[in-house]
Amino acid sequence: KCRTGPLDIVFVIDSSRSVRPYEFETMRRFMMDIISNLDVGPNATRVGVIQYSSQVQNIFSLKTFFTRADMERAINSIIPLAQGTMTGLAIQYAMNVAFTTQEGARPPHKRIPRIAIIVTDGRPQDRVTEVATQARNAGIEIYAVGIQRADMNSLRAMASPPLEEHVFLVESFELIQQFAKQFQDKLCGVDMCMEREHGCQHSCVSTPGSFYCECNPGYRLNVDGKTCSPIDACADGRHGCQHHCVSVRGSYSCRCRAGYYLSQNKRSCTMIDYCSFGNHSCQHECVSIPNGHYCRCHSGYTLQPDSKSCRATDLCNGVDHGCEFKCVSTEGSYHCVCPEGQQLQPDGKTCSKCGAGHVDLVMVIDGSKSVRPQNFELVKQFVNRIVDLLEVSPHGTRVGLVQYSSRVRTEFPLNKYHSADEIKKAVMDVEYMEKGTMTGLALKHMVEHSFSELEGARPLSHNIPRIGLVFTDGRSQDDISEWARRAKESGIVMFAVGVGKAVEEELRAIASEPVEQHFSYSADFTTMTHLVENFSLNICPEEGKGETEIRSPCECEALVQFQTNTVAILQSLTEKNILWAPSLAQMTARLEDLEKQIADKK
């Protein structure tokens, strides 16, 4: 059998009236003899048959049959057309129809040889030279087999070069069966993969007079035509994996990050519920997070150093008190207070704010490995508590957030969000970076990028205060001195907040003068509430700065209240005859003198 590689073969059979019935039978036998020695199949050699006279008839295409028995059955059922001899028309049909991928021909990039075997006994009644040239240029190799009365010039005009290997003339129909064996040897030739050093990395496919290389499934042939490279099925981005795509020999599989498992759809990922394992030992509540869990206490309780048990504590640290500035615990209760210059509102929680208090605030938070996931969640809550102190709006206070570890990442710039709710939601969506502690690099990023007008900082000419808050839990792995100095020299008011193993020397180097008012420290993440209380920002510009002169909203009010209360007390004492008239006159004079002194200071 011919096993030198797959072929796409189409027999083009002359069934004109000059071919007598018994002669047509020998042509049937010729085709079946050739087919009987071919390795046929969908991935081997494919065979099609068309007959022609004055018209062309498709007997079966390259995609119709893949067994010799089916092909022989179809060949035996052919009824000759018995009309003219339009060989050119038949070649055009083979080129435009029979050898198309729609009819079963393999795509050109697979380099499967396309072979047309034309068997005729007469002179064509149409032109064949031009259409045969087009067919050969389209990659079809043409064998021209003439029988008895065939015209040699026409055979040579149709066949592919070299003509001595593609043109055959048989003296009679009786000899065509003997010729079939000779033609079979010519068609199959030798196994070129065995005869030559092919150099194919995976497999060699022999074709008549040549060969080509093929790659195993999951690989593609390189431009050298010999070596193979794995197909990266993830590269086109259509895999749909939620976390990671892993290419495997032309296919892919989805994988999840640590702390997640692959869902049933094999693409999305679900966080592992570590609390459901039942071995967390939390006294109150267990909270699952990627890569583990942490314990949480009920309202009014504090998590102990063993990170599992809880102990009752003051209500300010145990409940969501909602105080905007500071919560003060009392016996069995609590109340909210406001910073100096602000008054508690009727809701008992919020404080009056200076409407002209416009600042650009960038918070730089430590996302290094030492912080740990559960503490990073507390850091985000700390940030949102600070946001609650501010009046956020496009023309009021703007807030930006930067996270750093071994690298620096802007979570959102100053011009990203325009309300406190938007900022707080974005903060809770921030993902923990882990790795190192490059505080100096973070300060450099803050100075060069975060406070740029491109990222939303108002121009210096607007006199909007620029405030930087750096939060860290350990010693920096790079030098901070230069960029801490540059930050302050560029007009940024720097606050430093340290927790746990934070180095006081570094905190002081970051903080603006007076240092004691610009740095805070807490020994533990769970007791950071007082740091928010200490971070009492004066968001009102000093008098005379900027476009609007701002004065204390409480100054006049306090004076009026003082005068009213004093007069009321004096009147009460007079009515009770406790004071003499001269004493009352003296005290009234002193009150008027005090009012005059206050007015002069104005």
Side-chain angles (χ1 to χ4, degrees):
K1 293 208 178 356
C2 181
R3 298 184 182 275
T4 58
L7 306 169
D8 285 343
I9 299 177
V10 174
F11 289 95
V12 183
I13 304 301
D14 181 357
S15 63
S16 59
R17 66 174 64 91
S18 62
V19 180
R20 299 177 181 83
Y22 75 90
E23 293 175 337
F24 192 80
E25 292 305 313
T26 61
M27 295 175 72
R28 288 188 213 268
R29 189 73 259 160
F30 167 73
M31 288 188 285
M32 290 190 288
D33 286 345
I34 297 293
I35 292 171
S36 67
N37 288 293
L38 295 175
D39 183 19
V40 297
N43 297 317
T45 294
R46 299 182 182 182
V47 178
V49 175
I50 61 177
Q51 69 165 337
Y52 73 94
S53 60
S54 297
Q55 57 186 338
V56 180
Q57 182 185 33
N58 181 47
I59 304 303
F60 59 87
S61 63
L62 293 167
K63 66 179 181 181
T64 306
F65 301 123
F66 296 113
T67 66
R68 281 184 289 274
D70 289 337
M71 294 176 185
E72 291 176 2
R73 193 175 301 110
I75 291 172
N76 282 326
S77 66
I78 298 175
I79 299 174
L81 298 174
Q83 296 175 2
T85 310
M86 303 295 285
T87 310
L89 182 65
I91 295 174
Q92 187 166 13
Y93 180 89
M95 176 177 63
N96 294 339
V97 179
F99 280 111
T100 61
T101 54
Q102 291 83 357
E103 290 297 304
R106 265 71 65 96
H109 72 268
K110 292 198 171 183
R111 302 176 65 180
I112 305 298
R114 297 180 173 184
I115 297 174
I117 302 175
I118 302 173
V119 183
T120 181
D121 79 325
R123 182 188 300 273
Q125 294 176 341
D126 57 356
R127 296 181 178 181
V128 297
T129 303
E130 182 178 349
V131 70
T133 301
Q134 293 174 358
R136 294 193 298 269
N137 291 339
I140 301 173
E141 186 176 3
I142 299 177
Y143 287 87
V145 181
I147 304 175
Q148 201 166 301
R149 299 173 292 274
D151 177 56
M152 178 57 77
N153 290 332
S154 298
L155 298 177
R156 296 171 66 87
M158 291 186 287
S160 297
L163 297 179
E164 60 271 16
E165 295 183 6
H166 292 82
V167 177
F168 302 92
L169 185 62
V170 184
E171 295 179 359
S172 66
F173 280 94
E174 290 79 5
L175 298 175
I176 193 169
Q177 285 183 265
Q178 300 176 15
F179 164 72
K181 177 63 174 66
Q182 176 188 355
F183 183 79
Q184 175 70 32
D185 293 341
K186 179 65 67 176
L187 185 65
C188 290
V190 297
D191 189 338
M192 300 303 293
C193 291
M194 299 294 292
E195 293 291 321
R196 295 183 183 179
E197 182 64 36
H198 53 77
C200 297
Q201 183 179 356
H202 285 181
S203 59
C204 174
V205 179
S206 182
T207 62
S210 185
F211 69 89
Y212 62 91
C213 298
E214 275 191 348
C215 296
N216 297 336
Y219 293 81
R220 64 164 59 91
L221 196 64
N222 294 329
V223 293
D224 61 6
K226 296 177 182 275
T227 59
C228 301
S229 298
I231 297 174
D232 185 359
C234 297
D236 60 8
R238 295 181 295 178
H239 47 77
C241 298
Q242 183 178 354
H243 286 180
H244 305 297
C245 176
V246 180
S247 183
V248 183
R249 293 188 179 181
S251 185
Y252 69 88
S253 62
C254 297
R255 290 184 185 173
C256 298
R257 294 195 295 264
Y260 294 80
Y261 65 89
L262 198 63
S263 303
Q264 289 185 347
N265 61 14
K266 302 300 181 184
R267 286 180 170 81
S268 60
C269 298
T270 304
M271 190 173 75
I272 298 172
D273 185 4
Y274 289 96
C275 294
S276 66
F277 298 165
N279 59 352
H280 52 77
S281 302
C282 296
Q283 182 179 352
H284 284 183
E285 300 174 18
C286 175
V287 180
S288 285
I289 57 174
N291 300 323
H293 72 278
Y294 68 91
C295 297
R296 185 168 61 192
C297 296
H298 297 156
S299 297
Y301 293 82
T302 301
L303 193 66
Q304 297 304 291
D306 63 2
S307 299
K308 296 180 180 179
S309 57
C310 301
R311 188 174 66 186
T313 185
D314 64 281
L315 290 177
C316 286
N317 282 330
V319 300
D320 184 12
H321 52 74
C323 295
E324 181 178 342
F325 175 67
K326 185 177 181 179
C327 175
V328 178
S329 290
T330 57
E331 187 68 29
S333 184
Y334 68 90
H335 66 274
C336 302
V337 296
C338 294
E340 184 178 355
Q342 297 186 28
Q343 293 183 345
L344 195 66
Q345 297 297 292
D347 62 5
K349 296 182 179 181
T350 59
C351 301
S352 62
K353 298 187 178 74
C354 178
H358 304 168
V359 300
D360 288 340
L361 170 64
V362 174
M363 288 180 272
V364 183
I365 59 174
D366 185 348
S368 60
K369 188 175 182 180
S370 60
V371 174
R372 306 180 68 84
Q374 60 268 33
N375 290 333
F376 190 73
E377 295 300 313
L378 297 176
V379 172
K380 293 195 289 187
Q381 294 175 22
F382 169 82
V383 170
N384 280 346
R385 294 286 297 278
I386 293 175
V387 173
D388 285 334
L389 294 173
L390 309 171
E391 285 190 350
V392 179
S393 69
H395 301 292
T397 291
R398 298 182 182 180
V399 179
L401 183 64
V402 173
Q403 184 185 174
Y404 72 96
S405 58
S406 297
R407 57 190 178 88
V408 184
R409 181 173 71 203
T410 297
E411 299 297 351
F412 52 84
L414 288 165
N415 56 5
K416 178 71 173 179
Y417 301 112
H418 305 307
S419 71
D421 289 340
E422 289 179 312
I423 292 173
K424 291 167 69 175
K425 181 180 184 302
V427 169
M428 297 311 294
D429 289 339
V430 169
E431 291 190 1
Y432 177 37
M433 292 174 71
E434 298 191 48
K435 298 190 178 178
T437 310
M438 303 294 284
T439 311
L441 183 64
L443 289 170
K444 180 177 185 292
H445 180 90
M446 180 194 72
V447 173
E448 293 184 340
H449 301 286
S450 300
F451 282 108
S452 67
E453 293 183 28
L454 182 65
E455 294 203 1
R458 268 87 48 111
L460 292 172
S461 61
H462 289 192
N463 290 328
I464 304 297
R466 295 183 173 183
I467 299 175
L469 171 63
V470 179
F471 182 101
T472 181
D473 85 321
R475 181 182 295 275
S476 176
Q477 295 172 341
D478 61 351
D479 179 61
I480 67 165
S481 57
E482 179 183 356
W483 286 102
R485 175 179 55 80
R486 289 197 188 186
K488 288 175 278 191
E489 288 176 353
S490 67
I492 302 171
V493 179
M494 294 299 300
F495 285 81
V497 177
V499 176
K501 296 181 180 179
V503 180
E504 182 177 348
E505 179 184 355
E506 292 186 352
L507 296 176
R508 288 177 172 273
I510 295 171
S512 294
E513 295 288 346
V515 173
E516 298 300 331
Q517 296 180 14
H518 290 82
F519 96 94
S520 303
Y521 173 80
S522 176
D524 188 81
F525 283 90
T526 60
T527 59
M528 291 191 300
T529 305
H530 74 279
L531 299 184
V532 179
E533 297 164 0
N534 292 343
F535 187 67
S536 176
L537 292 175
N538 179 13
I539 62 173
C540 294
E542 296 177 8
E543 282 190 28
K545 271 194 174 182
E547 301 173 357
T548 307
E549 181 178 337
I550 304 300
R551 303 180 65 180
S552 170
C554 305
E555 195 171 83
C556 183
E557 249 179 54
L559 179 61
V560 172
Q561 188 66 43
F562 171 73
Q563 183 178 12
T564 302
N565 292 346
T566 304
V567 171
I569 292 171
L570 292 174
Q571 184 66 35
S572 174
L573 292 174
T574 302
E575 291 173 357
K576 295 180 179 179
N577 296 317
I578 296 177
L579 290 178
W580 303 334
S583 299
L584 177 61
Q586 290 173 357
M587 189 164 288
T588 302
R590 292 181 62 185
L591 177 60
E592 291 174 350
D593 182 58
L594 178 60
E595 290 176 351
K596 183 175 182 302
Q597 291 179 26
I598 294 175
D600 290 341
K601 289 182 180 180
K602 293 287 181 183

